[in-house]
Amino acid sequence: MPTYLPQSPVQFLCLTKKKIHSGVVFFILFTQIQCIPYLFHLGKEQSKIILGREKIESVLESPHLEPKIKEKLKLIQEARKFAISKLSLNEKGGFEYFTMLDRDEIGWNVSASSPLAFESYTWWFPIAGTVPYKGFFDKNYAEELNEELKKEGYDTRVRVIGGYSTLGWFSDPVLSPQLTWKDHRLVGLVFHEMAHATAYLAGDSDLNESYASFVEGKGVEAYYTEKEGKDSSHIKEFFREKNTRASSLKILKNYALKLDSLYKKEIPKEEKLIGKKKIIEEFKMEIVRLKFIPEEKIIEFQKREWNNEDFLGVLRYHSGEDSFEALFEKAKGDFKTFHKLVHELFQLSSEDRKKFLQS
């Protein structure tokens, strides 16, 4: 899951902002003291990534480079060129470098929400603004925060980070764990993260992630159509995944509406919790019935305890596709014009941006 990990050179504050307790304010000095361990952790690990990167051109010259890695790095180079020349994405979006990590995952995000409302627990950082997740390069730190939030009564989730962007402040490298991805997903990653460096509104994660996901989808289709034609096996696989995701997303949104309706009822908390459990179980049963889950993973899926954050996490990346499609049509399929129209959305009120994503 692509994310934004705040960088230590600009991260002077580390405020916690709970939407359900939005009046809480921290003194700057107190906040800085509280955040020193987190800042140190991010700064140290980000420094390793930046200092350990190598130009992809240089890596490709190594006679000892594994053929598979060489193939993936060349693909990234091609995708980056396409992103700049055909998708009008910001060339400062990275993917000129490669960094080998000493772990199998890039990092982990912790996110949380109210247990009886679709309201995200959020953090505030300079540049990124308000975000509904906190990123770590060490899983133990993520688990510690996750447990703290659970004890406070929040619905929580720890997720593996698929990619992240510094929004053009650094030339972000491709990281070794990403080279295990399927080709079309790796190409999509390049487009998604470069989109963040092209248009980003601090404090509106839903808009930012949905926009980047839309660019990713359009970009992958355009890339493989040009490279391999409309019968491309990559495009076919991409659309199979997209159609499955769209169908399951429709169901997820339907059950999210049921949950939201329950939460807004004037009934005791205990009744809401019972109703919530029932609705989520019905959702899981329908997902299994419609065979959206591979047979070998059904038991694991049924055992997993879904909560509000699972619904919010999916919707955060896949909202407003019809609205973005209409905007793309208004731009007559021209990506440069499309990005400008997205920038115009930043002038809207928060409420109007939500309406745009929900229409």
Side-chain angles (χ1 to χ4, degrees), residues 144-204:
E144 285 177 15
L145 176 58
N146 188 59
E147 288 305 312
E148 288 177 14
L149 292 168
K150 272 186 178 180
K151 288 177 182 178
E152 291 183 34
Y154 292 97
D155 280 2
T156 68
R157 186 63 63 209
V158 177
R159 297 182 177 91
V160 172
I161 294 173
Y164 76 98
S165 171
T166 58
L167 310 179
W169 284 82
F170 297 98
S171 183
D172 300 314
V174 61
L175 304 171
S176 51
Q178 295 166 333
L179 298 186
T180 63
W181 293 22
K182 292 182 179 180
D183 284 1
H184 70 282
R185 291 184 179 175
L186 192 56
V187 169
L189 171 73
V190 173
F191 299 158
H192 187 108
E193 301 306 332
M194 291 185 74
H196 280 317
T198 304
Y200 184 93
L201 177 61
D204 196 334

Side-chain angles (χ1 to χ4, degrees), residues 82-83 86-90 187-196 198-199 207-223 238 317 321 324-325 328 335 338-339 342:
F82 188 88
K86 300 298 176 68
L87 307 183
S88 298
L89 293 176
N90 188 353
V187 169
L189 171 73
V190 173
F191 299 158
H192 187 108
E193 301 306 332
M194 291 185 74
H196 280 317
T198 304
L207 182 68
N208 294 329
E209 295 300 349
S210 294
Y211 154 72
S213 293
F214 181 83
V215 171
E216 173 186 343
K218 283 291 183 185
V220 168
E221 183 180 356
Y223 177 83
F238 167 74
Y317 282 79
E321 186 163 350
F324 280 118
E325 185 66 51
F328 192 68
F335 279 95
F338 172 70
H339 301 317
V342 171

